[in-house]
Amino acid sequence: DVVMTQSPLSLPVTLGQPASISCRSSQSLVYSDGNTFLSWFQQRPGQSPRRLIYQVSKRESGVPDRFSGSGSGTDFTLKISRVEAEDVGLYYCMQATHWPGTFGQGTKVEIK
Amino acid sequence: QVQLQESGPGLVKPSETLSLTCTVSGGSISSNYWSWIRRPPGKGLEWIGYIHYSGRTNYNPSLKSRVSISLDTSKNQFSLRLSSVTAADTAVYYCGRGFGTTPSSWGQGTLVTVSS
């Protein structure tokens, strides 16, 4: 299985400041059709995960534009331009290029 | 807005079969992909498998010999069956929907404990 490695696992941030989470895969996530199936999920306390980003950089409908995704091949990043209180929670990267799809360990974002 | 809700026994005995149902509201199950994902306590998320509305399934090889996912279009539900469970199958189980295979919308999750 493809191993997804996130860093850091804990990210204390100041409100209004940027935050960045890294995700690395053990294999290239470029599919045979040229697409890269890398998603980012947010799980707020007490809620189920919701997808923020798909195919590396495409935002889901309703996701604030302070969230952005980037990267290619095996290295990917989720950035929050200005952290708000509602952004507290767990963030996961997930690949669906290779079956079975696999998740990163999760990064806990908290306010300093 | 599609909503998903998992239901089923919260306690299953070892060697028995775990059965869960996901009820879909606000949309039809006769389109898209429908998944089951789980998270054992203290561990990461694991994608169990998915079913396409056509009935085509794909299961995680680590569980393939024990898992079955099915659709019930008359009830707008889909189900998970996991046989011969052990304590290692104790987890929060989520159902999800995806326009592609990746589940983009998830249910709230339900805890299933395997214990005698």
Side-chain angles (χ1 to χ4, degrees):
Chain A
D1 295 0
V2 176
V3 177
M4 305 296 288
T5 304
Q6 288 182 230
S7 63
L9 299 184
S10 178
L11 183 56
V13 295
T14 301
L15 287 173
Q17 293 300 302
S20 179
I21 301 170
S22 171
C23 177
R24 289 186 173 177
S25 58
S26 59
Q27 301 177 36
S28 172
L29 298 187
V30 180
Y31 191 60
S32 55
D33 64 1
N35 288 311
T36 300
F37 296 102
L38 185 284
S39 298
W40 288 95
F41 289 83
Q42 175 196 61
Q43 186 172 22
R44 290 170 172 157
Q47 297 186 14
S48 58
R50 71 156 177 162
R51 190 165 67 171
L52 301 175
I53 303 285
Y54 64 100
Q55 289 185 30
V56 180
S57 60
K58 299 177 182 179
R59 268 191 304 275
E60 289 279 359
S61 174
V63 173
D65 60 8
R66 64 178 181 275
F67 290 94
S68 64
S70 63
S72 63
T74 60
D75 289 337
F76 304 92
T77 303
L78 175 71
K79 292 183 179 177
I80 310 174
S81 59
R82 295 173 305 280
V83 172
E84 298 189 6
E86 66 179 18
D87 300 335
V88 165
L90 283 165
Y91 291 78
Y92 298 93
C93 60
M94 182 246 185
Q95 69 82 21
T97 296
H98 305 280
W99 185 252
T102 48
F103 295 83
Q105 319 96 300
T107 295
K108 185 175 184 179
V109 172
E110 56 186 6
I111 304 300
K112 282 183 183 176
Chain B
Q1 181 83 359
V2 168
Q3 294 192 342
L4 302 96
Q5 180 65 58
E6 305 87 352
S7 60
L11 181 64
V12 181
K13 290 183 168 55
S15 79
E16 294 190 345
T17 295
L18 179 160
S19 294
L20 294 175
T21 296
C22 182
T23 300
V24 179
S25 57
S28 173
I29 203 168
S30 298
S31 62
N32 304 136
Y33 290 81
W34 305 94
S35 286
W36 287 97
I37 310 102
R38 70 181 182 178
R39 179 164 56 210
K43 296 190 176 182
L45 290 159
E46 180 180 35
W47 196 353
I48 297 168
Y50 64 79
I51 186 166
H52 186 248
Y53 71 93
S54 64
R56 178 174 62 88
T57 55
N58 202 3
Y59 302 131
N60 191 317
S62 68
L63 299 167
K64 190 172 184 177
S65 63
R66 301 193 291 129
V67 70
S68 174
I69 299 175
S70 60
L71 292 171
D72 186 338
T73 54
S74 67
K75 295 181 179 178
N76 222 38
Q77 296 175 334
F78 65 106
S79 298
L80 168 71
R81 287 175 58 87
L82 184 66
S83 63
S84 305
V85 296
T86 69
D89 295 309
T90 294
V92 175
Y93 286 77
Y94 297 94
C95 59
R97 181 198 75 165
F99 296 104
T101 59
T102 304
S104 54
S105 303
W106 298 40
Q108 284 297 314
T110 187
L111 174 63
V112 178
T113 301
V114 178
S115 175
S116 56

